[in-house]
Amino acid sequence: IGAENAGVSVLNPQTGIAKNYQHHNNDEFSLANNSPWAIYEDSFQNVWIGTFNQGVNVVYNKYYSKFEHFFQKGGEVNSLVNNNVSCFAEINETEILIGTDGGGVSLWNKAK
């Protein structure tokens, strides 16, 4: 569950307990932003979180609590086209489409 300015909460259905993930200034593996716009789980159970103005956060394996971040890097060919991420779509095992608000679509390729 994502909430504006409150980060992301993950509910454990067996225990009924939710764990909250938020941005922390001194933690490079925390969420990049507390305003999630899109949450997507791919076929490998990786969780993709699109944020307002801070790109994509990916946690590889939903039970691992460290996030990798992908951002727009001015003029770089292999970066997001925009940091306002609104949706995801999995094409195949190695490619994810990342839809943005105001920049179009980026293609994330696992091999690259």
Side-chain angles (χ1 to χ4, degrees):
I1 301 167
E4 186 73 23
N5 297 319
V8 174
S9 293
V10 178
L11 178 67
N12 181 324
Q14 279 106 14
T15 65
I17 297 172
K19 181 170 181 175
N20 187 261
Y21 298 95
Q22 293 189 335
H23 171 73
H24 300 284
N25 287 333
N26 297 324
D27 184 355
E28 67 180 295
F29 298 111
S30 70
L31 282 175
N33 181 297
N34 283 329
S35 295
W37 276 11
I39 300 173
Y40 179 76
E41 184 177 356
D42 68 20
S43 59
F44 294 100
Q45 295 187 320
N46 301 313
V47 178
W48 299 73
I49 301 169
T51 66
F52 169 73
N53 205 32
Q54 290 296 316
V56 175
N57 299 262
V58 181
V59 60
Y60 295 103
N61 181 327
K62 64 183 175 184
Y63 302 106
Y64 187 65
S65 61
K66 293 185 179 184
F67 294 91
E68 185 172 340
H69 306 114
F70 300 104
F71 301 98
Q72 178 188 31
K73 298 174 187 166
E76 270 192 40
V77 176
N78 291 325
S79 72
L80 287 176
V81 293
N82 190 291
N83 282 326
N84 293 322
V85 176
S86 57
C87 62
F88 300 95
E90 189 170 8
I91 297 174
N92 56 45
E93 293 179 349
T94 61
E95 296 178 317
I96 302 276
L97 289 173
I98 302 168
T100 69
D101 181 17
V105 176
S106 290
L107 174 66
W108 179 84
N109 185 302
K110 184 177 183 177
K112 297 179 181 180

